């Protein structure tokens, strides 16, 4: 049996909260701890288990700070889980990280390029480190850019001259250039103008229709999740609280109402107990309190 | 269906580590072209520094402090040039993480299927080439200001010292480049401070004999000390490779320990950074 594209089991991730030395103090002094107590580590991913099958677009929908990027980073070998395991096509992301790296690529919410180099120079580098020759890169690139609605002349200008939308399209181009078997799209359309957003979404759908690559897409945009994803997992406070096809998720909360009339918003609210905006406000409060 | 085994075998093995290392040399060259104004700044700074320090020898002659001014001129000239070279190598390599953080590319570079050894060696090769070009330019501009006699110089031996010594300096650069990985906020400052200490203990502008004994001890563990010894031996005294065997052997030993050692330390630090989330927080 072929292993799933992604499989995680009981993944936990904590950040911060080093050892609390004041805890070692004997009684009269331990009162120092009341003010000085270190905050415990933040539990950012809680027992995350899910599987994405080959060829599917698997969505992870959650508010800011719910742990989406942390999950993507663990899958892309940039973070080590504190417990549990994650496999990409059966390969362990910790022990077989170099094999995993050659199978994946990633788009993050911020484009991350060498800003004074041109887009072509950037892609030449990021393609080469995946083992592609400059000739192959130059052959593949124009097609990808055209499908993203990106004018070729602009690809020769320094990245810093490009708009955010154009930079993000370049980031999408960079990751598809290396023909990854698994693509990790971490909020690829966040902060984009509506036009660029549509271009990127259309491209993702085209890729799904034409290739058998698997895509994990995180977003906090309900419509986007519904538009693009075969299955969706809701993540709140680092925990996956529900999972299924958009239809199945609606059905779960329908209770007699016609399924088509239920919005994803409603589903999210009923299954997580919150509206996604509230969840975001809460996350902001948590951040502000830090 | 996809053949995962074939895919995972592809990059490093088919293309080979040389092409992958070259990706970093090419990228740094492209960056360097875009930041040419900074290169100019460093060049001017290097020339001015070389002149300023070498003029001290002229002053010493005029004030009657030294009888052998031409020796002192050459001694200081080589000191500043070698330091220009070493600090350029150290800068380029030790900024490996800082630079990526600043550009915001760190995660994309570190998740590429390139072994860290190949990555670091690619950066080191660029650092050495870059430093050679810069130092040759400084040399060509500064030398005509002084009437130095280079007739006795053994250029071949000097080239051997540069080739052999650069590996150990690259190792030192990688080692200081670990600090920004461990301390995202202060690491770069820490690695510059280490560079300053290397300047102090390695006998760049004086021979290490003048150091107080407790400092002198440290000069033995700096590869730059032997690098300077070798270059001065070859150019001032005209020593050949066989005269410099002891120095060269020491440099080889440093290289053999520092290059693999620093790459291993880097790997441990990177693992720690991946565990604690120090690579990057946002996005
Ligand atoms: N490297 C890190 N170090 C410390 N805390 C982090 C780090 N990365 C993320 N966090 C925290 O973990 C939580 C989840 O973050 P993240 O995974 O980025 O959420 P999302 O992508 O869903 O917005 C947030 O509270 C964030 O502040
Ligand atoms: Mg995020």
């Amino acid at each position: 049996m072929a292993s799933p594209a992604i499989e995680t089991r009981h993944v936990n991730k904590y950040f911060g909260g080093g050892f609390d030395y004041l805890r070692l103090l004997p009684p009269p002094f331990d009162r120092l701890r009341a003010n000085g107590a270190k905050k415990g580590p933040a539990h950012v991913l809680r027992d995350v288990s899910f599987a994405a099958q080959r060829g599917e677009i698997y969505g992870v929908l959650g508010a800011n700070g719910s742990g989406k990027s942390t999950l993507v980073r663990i899958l892309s070998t940039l973070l080590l889980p504190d417990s549990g395991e994650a496999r990409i096509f059966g390969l362990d992301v910790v022990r077989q990280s170099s094999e995993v790296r050659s199978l994946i690529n990633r788009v993050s919410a911020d484009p991350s390029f060498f800003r004074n180099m041109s887009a072509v120079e950037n892609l030449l580098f990021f393609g080469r480190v995946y083992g592609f020759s400059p000739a192959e890169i130059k052959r593949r690139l124009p097609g990808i850019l055209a499908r993203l609605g990106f004018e070729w002349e602009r690809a020769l200008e320094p990245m810093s001259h490009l708009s955010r939308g154009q930079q993000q399209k370049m980031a999408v181009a960079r990751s598809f250039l290396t023909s990854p078997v698994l693509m990790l799209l971490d909020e690829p359309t966040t902060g984009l103008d509506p036009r660029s957003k549509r271009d990127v979404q259309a491209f993702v759908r085209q890729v799904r229709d034409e290739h058998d690559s698997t895509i994990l897409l995180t977003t906090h945009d309900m419509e986007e999740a519904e538009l693009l994803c075969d299955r969706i997992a809701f993540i709140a406070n680092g925990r996956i609280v529900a999972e299924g096809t958009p239809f199945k998720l609606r059905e779960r909360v329908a209770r007699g109402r016609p399924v088509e009339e239920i919005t994803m918003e409603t589903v999210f609210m009923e299954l997580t107990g919150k509206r996604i905006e509230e969840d975001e406000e809460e996350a902001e409060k948590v951040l502000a309190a830090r | 269906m996809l053949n995962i085994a074939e895919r995972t075998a592809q990059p490093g093995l088919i293309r080979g580590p040389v092409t992958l290392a070259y990706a970093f040399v090419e990228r740094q060259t492209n960056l360097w072209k875009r930041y040419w104004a900074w290169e100019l700044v460093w060049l001017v700074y290097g020339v001015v520094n070389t002149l300023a320090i070498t003029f001290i020898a002229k002053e010493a002659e005029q004030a009657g402090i030294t009888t052998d001014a031409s020796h002192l001129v050459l001694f200081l000239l080589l000191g500043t040039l070698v330091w220009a070279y070493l600090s350029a190598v150290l800068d380029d390599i030790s900024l490996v993480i800082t630079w990526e953080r600043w550009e915001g590319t760190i995660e994309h570079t570190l998740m590429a299927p390139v072994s860290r050894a190949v990555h670091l060696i690619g950066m080191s090769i660029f650092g050495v080439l870059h430093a050679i070009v810069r130092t040759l330019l400084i040399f060509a501009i500064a030398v005509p200001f002084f009437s130095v006699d280079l007739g006795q110089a053994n250029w071949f031996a000097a080239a051997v010292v540069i080739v052999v010594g650069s590996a150990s300096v690259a190792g030192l650069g990688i080692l200081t480049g670990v600090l920004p990985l461990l301390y995202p906020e202060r690491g770069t400052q820490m690695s510059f401070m280490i560079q300053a200490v290397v300047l102090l203990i390695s006998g760049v502008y004086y021979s290490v004999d003048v150091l107080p004994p407790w400092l002198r001890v440290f000069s033995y563990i700096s590869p730059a000390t032997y690098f300077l010894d070798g270059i001065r031996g070859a150019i001032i005294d005209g020593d050949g490779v066989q005269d410099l065997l002891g120095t060269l052997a020491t440099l080889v030993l440093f290289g053999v320990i520092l290059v693999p050692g620093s790459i291993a330390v880097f790997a441990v630090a990177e693992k720690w950074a991946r565990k604690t989330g120090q690579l990057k927080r946002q996005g």
Side-chain angles (χ1 to χ4, degrees), chain A residues 37-89:
Chain A
K38 272 197 181 168
K39 277 196 215 126
H43 197 170
V44 171
L45 288 181
R46 300 166 188 255
D47 203 35
V48 171
S49 302
F50 74 97
Q53 302 310 319
R54 298 181 181 205
E56 98 178 311
I57 300 191
Y58 190 92
V60 175
L61 185 61
N64 275 332
S66 55
K68 302 183 295 297
S69 296
T70 303
L71 177 61
V72 169
R73 286 191 172 107
I74 286 176
L75 297 175
S76 43
T77 76
L78 291 164
L79 270 179
L80 300 174
D82 290 316
S83 65
E85 63 166 16
R87 293 180 174 274
I88 305 287
F89 295 94

Side-chain angles (χ1 to χ4, degrees), chain B residues 85-213:
Chain B
Y85 176 77
L86 296 180
S87 58
V89 175
L90 287 173
D91 271 355
D92 271 4
I93 302 174
S94 65
L95 288 178
V96 56
I97 288 296
T98 309
W99 191 276
E100 301 262 3
R101 270 225 177 87
W102 183 71
E103 295 270 12
T105 49
I106 183 164
E107 292 196 319
H108 284 272
T109 301
L110 294 190
M111 70 177 274
V114 178
S115 78
R116 202 59 60 226
V118 168
H119 174 187
L120 293 169
I121 289 169
M123 294 295 289
S124 301
I125 291 171
F126 173 80
V128 167
L129 295 176
H130 180 199
I132 286 177
V133 171
R134 188 191 285 170
T135 311
L136 282 178
L137 283 172
I138 298 175
F139 178 80
I141 300 170
V143 163
F145 282 83
F146 308 97
S147 53
V148 286
D149 179 13
L150 293 169
Q152 75 295 350
N154 186 329
W155 296 106
F156 176 73
V160 173
V161 172
I162 292 175
V163 170
V164 171
S166 293
S168 57
V169 179
L172 195 61
I174 294 172
L175 211 51
T176 57
V178 170
L179 292 166
L181 201 52
L182 297 178
Y183 308 98
E185 259 102 60
R186 304 268 172 275
T188 313
Q189 289 85 329
M190 288 156 82
S191 63
F192 279 128
M193 269 153 54
I194 291 179
Q195 252 191 59
V197 174
V198 173
L199 172 66
L200 177 71
I201 62 176
S202 308
V204 174
Y205 303 122
Y206 37 78
S207 58
V208 291
D209 314 330
V210 306
L211 292 172

Side-chain angles (χ1 to χ4, degrees), chain A residues 69 186-187, chain B residues 283:
Chain A
S69 296
D186 190 8
E187 305 210 33

